[in-house]
C-alpha cells in the first residue's frame, strides 16, 4: 500500500543485513542451478505454455479427491507400518475364517473389496 | 477502428474484464471512485481476528495493466439508448461496449435501528474502517453475547456469517473467553445454511466450535438502547455486540431506461450471456446483476471472462458456477453449485484450506494478469465441476 518510490524502497531494503544475507544465499543457489544445468530446465518449464500443460495434467477430479484424502491415507499408512512391526505367527485357513468375526478384520475386508471394485472400473 | 469499451467499477469483475480486454487491443476506460481495491473477504479477518486492513488493500492503479485508461470518478447516470455514461466530474463517456460492474449498495435505513447499530459497532460488509470498528468491540468483549445476524436472506457471500462465527469463536477461545462469551449465529434460513446439503456439513462444525445457531431469524428491528434485536418471525435476541448484514440493493445510479433494473435495483441480464435485457452492447457482471446465483468474487471473475469472450466473438456462456469457501479452524470447504446443478456435498478438509490459501495468495496477480491464471482456474473448475464430482461430492 506504500506510495513511496519502489526503487528507493528497494535500496533501503538492501541496507538491511538480513536481506543481504538472504540475497547472497539466493545468488549461491542461482550459481548452483546454473552449474548443474537445472536453471535452463527451470526456465523452460516455467514457460506459460508448459505451466498450463502441467496444471492441466495435475488438476483433475481424481487429484482433487486424492488431495482431500491424503491426510486419512497417511494416517492409515502409519497404522499399516505399525502392524508390519508386530510379531505374528503364520495363520492357517481356519484361523483366517475365524478372524472374520473380528469387526476390524471384517471392515478391512470390506475396504479391500471396495478397492478391487474401484480398480476394476 | 479500435472498439471503445467502458468498464464501470474496479472490483474483481471490472478489473478482470478491463485487464483482459486491454491485452486484446481494445481501447479500455475503467471508472472507479476509490483509490483502493479491497479484497472483500479480508474484512472478516479484520473484524474477527484483528488483521491490518493494508494486507487486503491495493491501490487500483497498481492493479491495472498499462494501456487501461483509469479514471478516478463517480458514475452518476447511464443512458443505454444514447450510449453515454455521465460522471460526477461533469465528463461524459461514450462507448461501443459497456460493462457495468458496480457491485451492490447497502441499505441501513429499512430496518429501524440498523444505522445506529452499524455506526456503533461497524460490520464486516461495508468497508475496512467498519470492520476495524467491529474488531474494537469484539476484542474488548469480556463476557456476554456476540450476535451475528442478517436483515435479509439474499446477501452477497452466503457463507460470510458462518465464517464470521468460526473466526470469532476461535479468537475468543485464544483469548480465553470462550466460556464467557456466547457467539450466536442468527440466520434467516430454515437450516444453518441456505442449502440443506451444506447445512448438514456445516452444522456439526459450528457445534464443535461452540457456536449457538438460531434459524428462521430475519432481523426486523433493532433497539440499540436496550441492546435487543427483534425478528420478523417474532423472536427477540439480546446482545452485547452485534453485527447485522445489511439489506443488499443494486447500485444507486440512474439508468435509462429504468426498466433494466429490478425492484431492488439489480440490473436484469440474460443469465447465460450477461447481456443487459434489451441491449446487446451492454453487460452487467458480478454483484450488480440479477443472475440467480451467489454474489461472490468467483462469480464476478468468471462472469468477466465470459463477457470478454463474447466481446471477442466467442459464444461463451456463464454457468452460474459458485465456489464459496467456508473457512473453519485449519480446514475449509467450498459451496459448489451451478445453474444446472444444485449444491453438492463438500466436506471440510485441510487440503481445501490449502487450496483456499493458494487462491488468496494468487488474488492480486489474478486481477492484474487474469490471462495467466485462466488455464489454472479452468482446470480447477473443470476438475471440480459438480457433475464430475458426482452426487457423493468431494
Amino acid at each position: 500500500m506504500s506510495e513511496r518510490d519502489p526503487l528507493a524502497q528497494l535500496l533501503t531494503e538492501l541496507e538491511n543485513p538480513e536481506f543481504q544475507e538472504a540475497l547472497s544465499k539466493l545468488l549461491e543457489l542461482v550459481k548452483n542451478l546454473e552449474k548443474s544445468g537445472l536453471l535452463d530446465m527451470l526456465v523452460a518449464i516455467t514457460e506459460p505454455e508448459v505451466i498450463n500443460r502441467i496444471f492441466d495434467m495435475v488438476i483433475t477430479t481424481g487429484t482433487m479427491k486424492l488431495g482431500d484424502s491424503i491426510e486419512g491415507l497417511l494416517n492409515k499408512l502409519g497404522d499399516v507400518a505399525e502392524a508390519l512391526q508386530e510379531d505374528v505367527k503364520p495363520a492357517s485357513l481356519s484361523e483366517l475364517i475365524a478372524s472374520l468375526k473380528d469387526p476390524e478384520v471384517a471392515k478391512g475386508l470390506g475396504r479391500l473389496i471396495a478397492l478391487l471394485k474401484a480398480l476394476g472400473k | 477502428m479500435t472498439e471503445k469499451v467502458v468498464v464501470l467499477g474496479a472490483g474483481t469483475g471490472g478489473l478482470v474484464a478491463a485487464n483482459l480486454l486491454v491485452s486484446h487491443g481494445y481501447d479500455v476506460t475503467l471508472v472507479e471512485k476509490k483509490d483502493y481495491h479491497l479484497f472483500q473477504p479480508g474484512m472478516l479477518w479484520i473484524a474477527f481476528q484483528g488483521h491490518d486492513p493494508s494486507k487486503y488493500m491495493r491501490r487500483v492503479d497498481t492493479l491495472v495493466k498499462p494501456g487501461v485508461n483509469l479514471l478516478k470518478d463517480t458514475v452518476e447516470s447511464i443512458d443505454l439508448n444514447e450510449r453515454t455514461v455521465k460522471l460526477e466530474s461533469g465528463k461524459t463517456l461514450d462507448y461501443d461496449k459497456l460493462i457495468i460492474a458496480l457491485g451492490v449498495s447497502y441499505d441501513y435505513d429499512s430496518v429501524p435501528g440498523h444505522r445506529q447499530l452499524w455506526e456503533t459497532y461497524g460490520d464486516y460488509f461495508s468497508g475496512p474502517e467498519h470492520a476495524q470498528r467491529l474488531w474494537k468491540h469484539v476484542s474488548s468483549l469480556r463476557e456476554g453475547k456476540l450476535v451475528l445476524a442478517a436483515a435479509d436472506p439474499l446477501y452477497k457471500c452466503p457463507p460470510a456469517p458462518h465464517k464470521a462465527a468460526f473466526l470469532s469463536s476461535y479468537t475468543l477461545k485464544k483469548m480465553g473467553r470462550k466460556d464467557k462469551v456466547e457467539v450466536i449465529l442468527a440466520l434467516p434460513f430454515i437450516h444453518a445454511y441456505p442449502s440443506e446439503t451444506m447445512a448438514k456439513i456445516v452444522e456439526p462444525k459450528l457445534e464443535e466450535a461452540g457456536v449457538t445457531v438460531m434459524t428462521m431469524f430475519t432481523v426486523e428491528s433493532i433497539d440499540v438502547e436496550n441492546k435487543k434485536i427483534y425478528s420478523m418471525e417474532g423472536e427477540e435476541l439480546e446482545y452485547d455486540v452485534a453485527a447485522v448484514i445489511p439489506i443488499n440493493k443494486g447500485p444507486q445510479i440512474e439508468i435509462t431506461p429504468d426498466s433494466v433494473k429490478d425492484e431492488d435495483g439489480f440490473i436484469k441480464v440474460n443469465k447465460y450471456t450477461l447481456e443487459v435485457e434489451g441491449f446487446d452492447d451492454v453487460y452487467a457482471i458480478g454483484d450488480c446483476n440479477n443472475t440467480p446465483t451467489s454474489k461472490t468474487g468467483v462469480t464476478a471473475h468468471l462472469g468477466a471472462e465470459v463477457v470478454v469472450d463474447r466481446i471477442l466473438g466467442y459464444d461463451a456462456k456463464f454457468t452460474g458456477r459458485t465456489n464459496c469457501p467456508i473457512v473453519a479452524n485449519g480446514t475449509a470447504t467450498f459451496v459448489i453449485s451451478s445453474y444446472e446443478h444444485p449444491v453438492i456435498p463438500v466436506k471440510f478438509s485441510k487440503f481445501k484450506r490449502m487450496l483456499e490459501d493458494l487462491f488468496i495468495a494468487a488474488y492480486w496477480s489474478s486481477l492484474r494478469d487474469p490471462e495467466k491464471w485462466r488455464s489454472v482456474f479452468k482446470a480447477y473448475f473443470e476438475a471440480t465441476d459438480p457433475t464430475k464430482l458426482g452426487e457423493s461430492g468431494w
Side-chain angles (χ1 to χ4, degrees), chain B residues 286-302:
Chain B
D287 298 345
C288 71
N289 71 25
N290 74 334
T291 48
T293 184
S294 300
K295 297 190 182 303
T296 72
V298 166
T299 42
H301 192 123
L302 295 176

Side-chain angles (χ1 to χ4, degrees), chain B residues 40 62 68 108 203 207 262 267 320 323 329 359 388 391:
Chain B
Q40 296 183 34
T62 65
V68 172
Y108 286 98
E203 241 161 7
E207 205 183 308
D262 73 9
I267 300 164
N323 198 65
N329 200 13
F359 284 136
K388 278 199 187 157
E391 297 308 318

Side-chain angles (χ1 to χ4, degrees), chain A residues 10 21 34 40 44 55 66 68 75 83 85 117:
Chain A
L10 191 66
E21 202 188 317
E34 173 61 15
D40 284 328
F55 277 125
L66 180 67
D68 227 28
N75 284 339
Q85 305 276 329
K117 234 180 137 157

Side-chain angles (χ1 to χ4, degrees), chain B residues 331-390:
Chain B
T331 61
T333 180
F334 298 106
V335 183
I336 296 179
S337 68
S338 68
Y339 289 150
E340 313 301 330
H341 213 292
V343 175
I344 54 164
V346 178
K347 300 183 296 282
F348 281 89
S349 76
K350 286 185 181 170
F351 177 67
K352 291 182 191 109
R353 178 59 187 265
M354 187 198 75
L355 286 178
E356 172 59 5
D357 288 343
L358 292 176
F359 284 136
I360 295 175
Y363 183 70
W364 303 111
S365 171
S366 75
L367 296 183
R368 176 100 184 358
D369 300 299
E371 72 286 354
K372 288 187 190 155
W373 292 95
R374 274 198 92 158
S375 60
V376 181
F377 290 157
K378 190 170 162 265
Y380 171 80
F381 286 113
E382 270 175 18
T384 56
D385 187 278
T387 326
K388 278 199 187 157
L389 287 171

Side-chain angles (χ1 to χ4, degrees), chain B residues 89-338:
Chain B
S89 63
K91 218 178 266 172
T92 300
L93 306 172
D94 50 12
Y95 59 82
D96 296 312
K97 292 271 182 340
L98 177 68
I99 300 174
I100 308 172
L102 289 167
V104 295
S105 60
Y106 297 124
D107 171 6
Y108 286 98
D109 297 309
S110 293
V111 171
H114 196 178
R115 183 166 286 279
Q116 199 189 345
L117 181 92
W118 173 58
E119 281 168 357
T120 311
Y121 299 104
D123 67 12
Y124 50 99
F125 266 73
S126 50
E129 66 277 27
H130 305 294
Q132 272 186 306
R133 190 156 72 249
L134 184 54
W135 169 245
K136 217 178 78 196
H137 290 280
V138 170
S139 58
S140 56
L141 183 62
R142 307 270 153 201
E143 55 182 358
K145 291 178 161 77
L146 168 65
V147 173
L148 302 162
D152 192 86
L154 291 173
Y155 56 85
K156 67 175 177 182
C157 189
H162 305 79
K163 283 191 261 187
F166 283 125
L167 292 178
S168 53
S169 74
Y170 301 132
T171 297
L172 291 164
K173 194 179 169 189
K174 229 161 110 187
M175 289 175 163
R177 297 181 204 155
K178 217 186 154 196
D179 300 329
K180 293 196 178 115
V181 179
E182 185 185 7
V183 177
I184 302 172
L185 182 59
L187 300 160
F189 314 120
I190 307 170
H191 313 284
Y193 196 80
S195 133
E196 195 184 346
T197 308
M198 280 315 283
K200 282 183 189 153
I201 291 166
V202 176
E203 241 161 7
K205 210 74 180 168
L206 286 166
E207 205 183 308
E208 199 184 296
V211 175
T212 307
V213 178
M214 236 178 124
T215 52
M216 298 296 283
F217 192 99
T218 316
V219 177
E220 185 176 52
S221 67
I222 303 156
D223 179 350
V224 180
E225 309 309 323
N226 296 304
K227 297 192 161 187
K228 276 185 182 167
I229 303 180
Y230 298 93
S231 78
M232 284 179 190
E233 295 83 358
E235 309 263 354
E236 63 172 75
L237 257 177
E238 286 182 5
Y239 67 83
D240 293 282
V241 173
V244 173
I245 298 174
I247 293 173
N248 288 201
K249 292 254 167 84
Q252 298 297 301
I253 42 153
E254 196 190 312
I255 305 183
T256 309
D258 196 35
S259 57
V260 299
K261 286 190 190 177
D262 73 9
E263 53 190 18
D264 291 318
F266 292 106
I267 300 164
K268 293 189 249 175
V269 293
N270 174 308
K271 68 175 185 176
Y272 298 112
T273 64
L274 304 178
E275 277 170 13
V276 173
E277 255 183 38
F279 295 87
D280 61 4
D281 53 352
V282 187
Y283 302 88
I285 56 174
D287 298 345
C288 71
N289 71 25
N290 74 334
T291 48
T293 184
S294 300
K295 297 190 182 303
T296 72
V298 166
T299 42
H301 192 123
L302 295 176
E305 289 187 346
V306 167
V307 165
V308 168
D309 281 352
R310 294 198 73 84
I311 291 176
L312 290 170
Y314 299 102
D315 186 25
K317 298 231 165 67
F318 183 58
T319 62
R321 170 68 196 266
T322 66
N323 198 65
C324 314
I326 311 181
V327 171
N329 200 13
T331 61
T333 180
F334 298 106
V335 183
I336 296 179
S337 68
S338 68

